[in-house]
Amino acid sequence: MTTVYERRAAPPVPVVPRRSPAGAVLALLWAGAAAVVGLWWYGTPSVVGSAGVLTGAGRIAGLLCGYACAVLVGLMARVPLLERRVGSDRVARWHAMAGRYTVCLLVAHVVLIVLGYAAQDRDSVWHEALSIVLDYPEMLKAALGTVILLAVGVTSARAVRRRTSHEFWYYVHLLTYAAVFLAFGHQLALGDQFNGHTVATAAWYVLYLGVAALVLRYRVLAPVRLNLRHRLRVESVHPEAPGVYSVVVSGHRLDELGARPGQFFRWRFLAEGMGWTSTPYSLSAPPRPDRLRITVKALGDHSAAVPLLRPGTRVWAEGPYGSLTADRRTAHKSLLIAGGVGITPLRALFETLPGEVTLLYRARTAEDLALGAELEAIARWRGARVLYALNGPNGERPAITVASLRACVADLSGHDVYLCGPHAFAQGLYEVLRAAGVPDRRIHHESFEL
């Protein structure tokens, strides 16, 4: 059974594409790192001997690690400029890369400082390490923060994440805030670059307090305001395909959320066994003033429990997030390519994207085509095309190649292409599209794998 969601009467006014601020944000972050190195250079009069080299290198690593901690937290503060203009997937990749840099710099800082101090004091490495932790100000807290950060780093490794639940990873990850708080004091107490340097100390406080303000504003206050104001509840749950269900969520003044087709929210259903998990699901229909809809495939414990939701269940949501919207459009013609449940954000875009639109939907069988009746209705209404790539009678997968895409879509290189599906599916299609001459700036995709 397919639930037909209300369609708009006409396509929206074309949207003027906006340039992503990703380059400017990256330039700003690297400029901050350069300023931190400059701070060390200015505050270090000379480096003498092997002990001085080790200690100097350890201090550079420590300063950069402190800066990286602030960047790490700031990137996951869910600032709208980053989430909606740069893209949640790109910000998540930056966060993952910053995490790797942070752990490497932390290890380098600890090892180099201990070796440098041991060489300077002509003492054993083990005895010097104990002396630093037990005798230096703020170091017991910093040592605990170091252990926490290393634990977060280990649990974030792909090999470990595959063997642990999302909930475990998520709640361990939240300890990053505690680790940064515990380590902050020793940076100012023991950093030669801050002792007696009012401007440098003030700048470090501004950096950390600014990041803390972003977290408080967008990770705490914004979700609380959203949910108190809009009072979301489950209105209904409908089957769409085998293992695929749509959830209609009602609320008050939902048009004030500013949600766009192609975006997603993080959803927490306050039902038994589900309230501890917050999961990203895209809107599978354009948002309405009184309703939102998501479509979910049962892939894990949380998504498998979605069909059991009862009308009236309270919902805690955060968002909207994501930049897979009409703002990315650069051409009059668009090609949407969906794999499996990746159809959800593209179904909303299929209805609302201006210009000529073609949708290619990859699924195993005709029974797996979630929202198929809606797609056909929208195609007739707006004069668009829907193409399907289904497995053959014996289960053979159709190859989506440069030749097959060009045969289906004239002037392929002149289209904007929106991709959504499993990571391997999207990566393979990206390479095919680039080989077909589609410019990188016209291939739009969001992935939520860290």
Side-chain angles (χ1 to χ4, degrees), residues 416-442:
D416 278 296
V417 182
Y418 289 78
L419 300 177
C420 193
H423 179 73
F425 168 84
Q427 183 61 39
L429 272 173
Y430 173 82
E431 294 170 1
V432 170
L433 291 166
R434 294 294 288 126
V438 181
D440 184 74
R441 62 186 174 85
R442 287 187 174 173

Side-chain angles (χ1 to χ4, degrees), residues 190-206:
L190 300 176
D192 288 348
Q193 286 69 31
F194 300 111
N195 292 330
H197 299 285
T198 305
V199 174
T201 302
W204 214 246
Y205 270 112
V206 168

Side-chain angles (χ1 to χ4, degrees), residues 385-410:
R385 291 194 303 157
V386 182
L387 308 174
Y388 301 104
L390 305 177
N391 289 358
N394 298 320
E396 61 272 16
R397 294 169 59 89
I400 302 178
T401 63
V402 173
S404 64
L405 283 177
R406 284 177 172 167
C408 295
V409 183

Side-chain angles (χ1 to χ4, degrees), residues 29 35 68 70 72 154 189 196 257 271 282 298 319 327 337 339-341 378 387 404 406 413 429:
L29 294 179
L72 190 69
V154 169
L257 288 171
S282 298
D327 286 345
I337 307 179
V341 78
I378 292 168
L387 308 174
S404 64
R406 284 177 172 167
S413 61
L429 272 173

Side-chain angles (χ1 to χ4, degrees), residues 259-342:
R260 306 280 303 281
Q263 291 188 309
F264 69 95
F265 287 77
R266 298 193 69 90
W267 305 89
R268 191 186 303 272
F269 298 103
L270 304 184
E272 185 178 356
M274 300 182 72
W276 290 101
T277 302
S278 174
T279 306
Y281 295 126
S282 298
L283 298 175
S284 62
R288 293 170 49 184
D290 59 344
R291 288 187 183 90
L292 303 172
R293 190 186 70 176
I294 59 175
T295 301
V296 179
K297 184 176 179 63
L299 297 172
D301 293 341
H302 185 271
S303 54
V306 166
L308 305 178
L309 289 171
R310 296 288 180 259
T313 300
R314 295 180 61 188
V315 181
W316 183 274
E318 299 176 38
Y321 302 128
S323 63
L324 195 70
T325 66
D327 286 345
R328 287 193 176 187
R329 195 173 60 95
T330 63
H332 179 68
K333 294 176 284 188
S334 301
L335 170 63
L336 315 180
I337 307 179
V341 78

